[in-house]
Amino acid sequence: MTTQDAVSAAAARLSEAQATRVPCAPVRDLIGTDDVAAAYAVQQGLVRARLATGATVVGRKIGATSEAVQTQLGVDQPDFGYLLSDMDVSADDPISMRTLLQPRVEGEVAFVLSRDIDDAEITLDVVRDAVDIALPALEIVDSRIADWAIGFTDTVADNASSGLFVVGTDGRTLEELEPRDVAMTLTVNGEERSTGTGAACLGDPLEALRWLAVQAQRYGDPLRAGHLILSGALGPFVPFGPGDRVVATISGFEPLSVTFTD
């Protein structure tokens, strides 16, 4: 099988899992465990297919930024995926789970960019200057791979295990809030299920943003003005189900709460 044939077969497997809501086998048997370029090629193919149905790119997400989540996923490095318009359920209450297979939820800091990040040298000062506002966020991660039995190329191919996302309206400038200093608590039905800090996200959510900006430019698709960036989990992700109410309290922001339904 050629690399392109393997990429196409992996994309077809993941697409079928999404369409049927039946998790599939890992795709690393097709694209290997080390061919990250092939994994991102699968991701790109899946994103293009969704764009063809009317979705638009609204930003990016960074995955596996905290040690806790890397341990949960069995990976040792971050990855990135695309945020599409049909993933945004910020205005939904309650949120339908009808498109999800094996969802988990995590609390994050999100950024909205005021300018493109396509500088010759991308430093922490560059990305700080490019942030318009920071927002509280919940990412509903999901996996098309059965039992979340993923390797690094599996999660990359699967759009960094993306599902849905929610962002609050309570924004802060970086003069008002230092992302690395925030503390996060996530509850499900009032029970504390996850805690963490901004420093758990690659040492600083702005460092995660810098890492993403470098990767995006490397892959020929720089971050753009107006993009929403989910910078990565501040603590472990947790499962939830229909009827559950999830609240993320991130210091410096108003609490962000959502309820899920079938």
Side-chain angles (χ1 to χ4, degrees):
M1 183 181 291
T2 67
T3 299
Q4 185 53 55
D5 287 341
V7 166
S8 297
R13 183 181 294 177
L14 292 167
S15 294
E16 182 178 8
Q18 181 62 56
T20 61
R21 292 185 64 195
V22 176
C24 64
V27 296
R28 58 185 179 271
D29 66 317
L30 298 168
I31 60 174
T33 59
D34 301 317
D35 194 342
V36 177
Y40 277 114
V42 176
Q43 180 188 116
Q44 287 286 333
L46 293 171
V47 169
R48 285 195 299 270
R50 290 173 67 175
L51 297 181
T53 67
T56 58
V57 173
V58 297
R60 306 285 184 90
K61 63 152 288 183
I62 314 168
T65 54
S66 76
E67 184 177 349
V69 171
Q70 288 184 2
T71 299
Q72 287 179 305
L73 295 179
V75 300
D76 61 0
Q77 58 185 304
D79 65 347
F80 68 85
Y82 282 78
L83 299 181
L84 304 178
S85 55
D86 58 4
M87 296 164 60
D88 184 357
V89 290
S90 301
D92 296 0
D93 186 23
I95 295 170
S96 172
M97 296 178 62
R98 67 182 179 274
T99 64
L100 302 173
L101 287 77
Q102 307 171 98
R104 307 288 188 268
V105 63
E106 57 193 35
E108 307 191 13
V109 174
F111 300 113
V112 177
L113 302 182
S114 60
R115 69 171 181 86
D116 297 353
I117 305 181
D118 54 2
D119 305 64
E121 183 180 4
I122 300 175
T123 64
L124 203 60
D125 286 340
V126 165
V127 297
R128 180 182 286 273
D129 178 68
V131 171
D132 182 16
I133 56 170
L135 295 163
L138 286 168
E139 184 181 1
I140 297 95
V141 294
D142 201 4
S143 181
R144 272 44 63 177
I145 306 299
D147 301 319
W148 280 87
I150 62 174
F152 186 68
T153 52
D154 294 307
T155 188
V156 169
D158 195 19
N159 197 26
S161 301
S162 296
L164 306 171
F165 67 88
V166 177
V167 290
T169 58
D170 177 41
R172 297 286 186 271
T173 68
L174 296 186
E175 286 71 38
E176 298 171 306
L177 176 136
E178 190 58 57
R180 69 172 176 268
D181 293 337
V182 304
M184 183 277 300
T185 300
L186 189 146
T187 64
V188 179
N189 301 327
E191 178 186 353
E192 184 179 293
R193 300 289 301 278
S194 178
T195 62
T197 67
C201 179
L202 288 187
D204 184 341
L206 288 171
E207 172 58 28
L209 174 59
R210 190 202 65 79
W211 176 88
L212 173 65
V214 170
Q215 299 305 313
Q217 185 155 280
R218 174 189 171 199
Y219 280 91
D221 191 8
L223 304 183
R224 299 300 183 187
H227 270 181
L228 174 73
I229 309 298
L230 298 185
S231 64
L234 305 180
F237 58 61
V238 299
F240 64 92
D244 286 346
R245 184 166 185 79
V246 175
V247 180
T249 303
I250 302 174
S251 57
F253 300 106
E254 292 295 320
L256 181 59
S257 62
V258 297
T259 302
F260 294 91
T261 187
D262 288 332

